[in-house]
Amino acid sequence: MSPRAVAVTGLGLVTPAGCGAEAVWNRFLDARPTARRDPELAGLAVDFSCPVADFDPAALLGGRLARRLDRYSQMAVAAARQAVADAGLDPGEWDGTRVGVVLGVSANSVHTYAVEYARLAEGRADRVSPLMLPRSIPNMAAGEVSLDLGARGPALVVSTACASGTSALALAADLLRAGTCDLVLAGGTDSPRTPMTAVAFDRLGALSRRRHDPEGASRPFDADRDGFVLGEGAGVLVLERAEHARARGARPYAHLAGHGSAADAHHPTAPDPDGEGLARAARAALADAGLAPYEIGHVNAHGTGTALNDPAEAAALRRVFHRPPPVTANKSVIGHCMGAAGAIEAALTVLTLRHRLIPPTANLDRLDDGIGLDVVAKAPRPLDAPAALTVSSGFGGHSAAVVLTA
């Protein structure tokens, strides 16, 4: 293990596949997609998404706090509480000045914007909520987690589009390596399921229009893919300095051994077709972890299921690995959770290492001939190496990668 590695001691997940690590893991092993008709998108060309079901913010957080928060912050606080409990931590006993929060956010408070701008447009300025600003500014995801748990160290939000959750983990690791914090609650959160977001992505040609079969719509690397499915959720990992975890007797799930990031500088929304930026991010993560490509036993792909992303990502992985290891794509089950995607996928990679089992990619019926990857499908596959790579990309050409080890 790299001396720069940090321990992963707790996981919190609020996802379309369920809430809590065990429920989410079991859904992914079964490769059961969560996409369904969405009443919030009724009447649109794309009227389905992957929502978080059975999430009752008032019951989980208390009515007063739930009313104050937009949905993306509600999910962040719920996931952070889960992660802290899973790590065996008591916020009443820790030194809050040594505890940080770093969350990735991309879409942030689209729900609040829609409601309050409608009131203003209708000439009802006096009905605009005084909570609009504290609910909607993206930093409040980290701010509310900090308030809720008494984390008084750095509280930061990272926004690198759909790479935000992975970028947040990287920044959190650096805070720990620098000695600024003893532990950091790191991850991402987003809830982009609104008509405007759906229309905007559809106008870009990014969303699947498989209305006749929502469950089969998210199909990364499949020859019949036609775009991604909107999802929502939050993933929070407790990261600790290894010595801090040892001192309190915590047994890590895994270790974050290295990270890397890069920019394509190619196009505002389209990835570099050669995957050069993502390849550089992956190589930087491997170098940071002190590992060679052949030591990686699994890649958790960004895998959006769009015409442009999948071949570009496949090209990047072929550039990094002489023979790419087995790949899986979690968005096939939960859709694209935007700023939360990388964090949720990192948590699932941690569980893959812990169980030494790679979940299958759902809806992969016919691998695109041009992909050239070993994509796990139909059934889980044993993991035969104690190291994995998870990668993310986003609009603006952002790429981020994290190496996790058992």
Side-chain angles (χ1 to χ4, degrees):
M1 183 180 68
S2 166
R4 289 165 57 79
V6 299
V8 182
T9 58
L11 301 176
L13 290 167
V14 176
T15 81
C19 297
E22 183 177 359
V24 173
W25 176 248
N26 289 334
R27 182 78 180 236
F28 274 91
L29 287 184
D30 292 341
R32 287 185 293 128
T34 60
R36 64 188 190 187
R37 291 273 189 271
D38 189 338
E40 292 196 30
L41 307 181
L44 300 181
V46 177
D47 60 358
F48 57 92
S49 74
C50 294
V52 175
D54 303 322
F55 176 65
D56 186 342
L60 288 170
L61 309 178
R64 184 175 181 180
L65 178 58
R67 285 190 298 273
R68 191 177 82 214
L69 306 184
D70 192 89
R71 189 169 174 85
Y72 81 114
S73 290
Q74 291 170 346
M75 293 189 297
V77 171
R81 287 184 182 181
Q82 271 186 41
V84 167
D86 187 45
L89 291 162
D90 182 352
E93 296 180 356
W94 66 25
D95 178 0
T97 64
R98 301 289 300 167
V99 180
V101 180
V102 184
L103 296 179
V105 175
S106 178
N108 71 291
S109 193
V110 286
H111 294 272
T112 288
Y113 289 152
V115 171
E116 303 301 341
Y117 276 117
R119 289 173 177 163
L120 186 63
E122 292 165 0
R124 298 190 296 156
D126 61 326
R127 303 303 297 167
V128 171
S129 172
L131 292 176
M132 179 183 174
L133 283 178
R135 290 186 75 187
S136 62
I137 48 180
N139 71 290
M140 291 306 290
E144 292 289 0
V145 169
S146 170
L147 284 164
D148 189 68
L149 295 171
R152 294 178 170 83
L156 308 170
V157 158
V158 178
S159 187
T160 52
C162 300
S164 297
T166 306
S167 297
L169 296 175
L171 178 55
D174 284 346
L175 289 174
L176 292 164
R177 290 170 168 182
T180 303
C181 299
D182 290 327
L183 63 91
V184 180
L185 313 178
T189 186
D190 251 335
S191 181
R193 291 173 37 250
T194 66
M196 181 57 78
T197 307
V199 169
F201 277 118
D202 185 46
R203 293 285 291 161
L204 286 169
L207 293 187
S208 170
R209 286 197 166 193
R210 204 179 181 98
R211 295 180 63 191
H212 65 285
D213 179 24
E215 288 190 1
S218 184
R219 34 197 331 111
F221 305 117
D222 190 83
D224 295 323
R225 69 189 184 278
D226 70 331
F228 67 79
V229 178
L230 283 174
E232 64 176 353
V236 175
L237 289 70
V238 175
L239 303 182
E240 296 186 58
R241 295 169 59 218
E243 56 268 36
H244 185 270
R246 283 195 297 269
R248 69 181 189 87
R251 183 178 180 181
Y253 279 100
H255 293 83
L256 195 162
H259 65 81
S261 63
D264 281 351
H266 170 73
H267 188 274
T269 58
D272 180 346
D274 295 327
E276 197 273 335
L278 184 59
R280 282 190 291 113
R283 290 193 186 106
L286 289 167
D288 190 32
L291 295 176
Y294 71 84
E295 294 178 277
I296 298 296
H298 165 56
V299 175
N300 191 311
H302 188 56
T304 60
T306 60
L308 296 181
N309 177 85
D310 289 7
E313 182 173 11
L317 295 178
R318 294 195 305 268
R319 290 166 75 102
V320 174
F321 299 97
H322 173 65
R323 181 178 296 174
V327 171
T328 196
N330 298 152
K331 292 178 181 70
S332 62
V333 173
I334 59 173
H336 197 338
C337 300
M338 304 295 160
I344 294 170
E345 289 156 13
L348 284 159
T349 306
V350 167
L351 293 170
T352 295
L353 289 165
R354 184 182 190 188
H355 294 285
R356 300 191 70 83
L357 198 61
I358 303 170
T361 301
N363 296 323
L364 184 57
D365 298 325
R366 185 165 59 97
L367 184 69
D368 184 331
D369 290 339
I371 294 299
L373 299 176
D374 177 14
V375 184
V376 179
K378 308 303 182 187
R381 187 186 301 180
L383 174 65
D384 60 7
L389 176 75
T390 180
V391 295
S392 299
S393 299
F395 282 1
H398 300 286
S399 291
V402 164
V403 171
L404 293 155
T405 58

